[in-house]
Amino acid sequence: MDNNNIDFKNLWKKQTISQPNIEDLMARLKQFKKAAVRSLWVTNFLLLATSFFILFVWYYYQPQFISTKIGIIITILAMVIYLFTYNKLLGKYKNIETTQTNNEYLQNLILIKKKQQFLQTKMMTFYFIALTTGICLYMYEYASRMTLLGISLTYGLTLFWMIFNWFYIRPKQIKKQKDKINSLIEKFEEVNNQLEL
């Protein structure tokens, strides 16, 4: 009978745990940081270039309607506010240093994840609403000179593109970002748990 009493708890403890390769994990973290910082700089460049182009159009074409001017201001304001909030992540990415402990890496990644969630929900909602409002107001002066078909096509295509971005492209980008950071967080949690054993 004693031979049948197997100590499963001790057997479980003795089994070899497939530990994540630390060098591989650090390489993935470095790659994540590099891609995130690059994405941040590209977004800055594109939104600032777009803002300067819009200001140039305003200066060069001298729109007459107040709605056009308000539309331009709302559009640029949306971009500037979004960039201001997005750029706060740069400090969080720079906090990821190679001399940190696993727990510090984990805490930084969790903080970045929270900031990303705020950007992906509240800030992105504000940005799209402000951008849509600004563009629609901006287009009104030029659309008022068009035929009904022209107005329908102009507003229809613009709104279709924005809706497509909101419901198709944005969720895919959010999922991709979440998957990357969640994967890193899981790996660091795994390492921390193994170190505590």
Side-chain angles (χ1 to χ4, degrees), residues 20-75:
N21 184 341
I22 296 297
E23 286 89 24
D24 179 54
L25 187 54
M26 296 311 292
R28 284 178 61 188
L29 182 67
K30 191 175 179 181
Q31 186 182 10
F32 168 78
K33 178 182 173 180
K34 190 177 176 183
V37 170
R38 184 174 51 242
S39 174
L40 194 136
W41 287 119
V42 167
T43 302
N44 271 276
F45 174 76
L46 290 175
L47 290 185
L48 288 173
T50 304
S51 296
F52 284 120
F53 177 74
I54 292 169
L55 287 171
F56 168 76
V57 168
W58 184 355
Y59 173 78
Y60 189 78
Y61 289 103
Q62 294 292 313
Q64 301 302 308
F65 288 18
I66 192 76
S67 61
T68 311
K69 295 169 186 173
I70 292 170
I72 289 171
I73 291 167
I74 291 172
T75 302

Side-chain angles (χ1 to χ4, degrees), residues 96-186:
I96 299 174
E97 298 295 331
T98 51
T99 55
Q100 291 179 324
T101 65
N102 287 337
N103 198 42
E104 287 171 328
Y105 285 128
L106 185 59
Q107 294 312 311
N108 272 331
L109 288 170
I110 290 169
L111 199 61
I112 289 169
K113 182 180 176 178
K114 285 179 184 173
K115 292 272 184 193
Q116 277 184 347
Q117 285 173 333
F118 174 75
L119 271 168
Q120 293 161 349
T121 53
K122 291 183 173 71
M123 276 314 297
M124 198 54 86
T125 301
F126 160 78
Y127 177 71
F128 267 97
I129 289 170
L131 197 64
T132 303
T133 305
I135 289 173
C136 287
L137 285 170
Y138 172 79
M139 290 186 338
Y140 177 72
E141 180 174 341
Y142 308 104
S144 66
R145 301 175 193 151
M146 297 177 186
T147 63
L148 188 60
L149 178 65
I151 293 169
S152 301
L153 280 171
T154 302
Y155 275 98
L157 289 171
T158 303
L159 292 173
F160 170 77
W161 177 246
M162 290 184 157
I163 289 167
F164 177 74
N165 270 293
W166 184 257
F167 290 105
Y168 183 74
I169 294 174
R170 185 184 70 96
K172 280 192 158 201
Q173 288 176 332
I174 289 172
K175 186 183 181 318
K176 195 174 170 183
Q177 285 179 338
K178 279 183 179 177
D179 288 348
K180 279 182 185 175
I181 199 155
N182 284 341
S183 169
L184 279 170
I185 288 171
E186 281 171 23

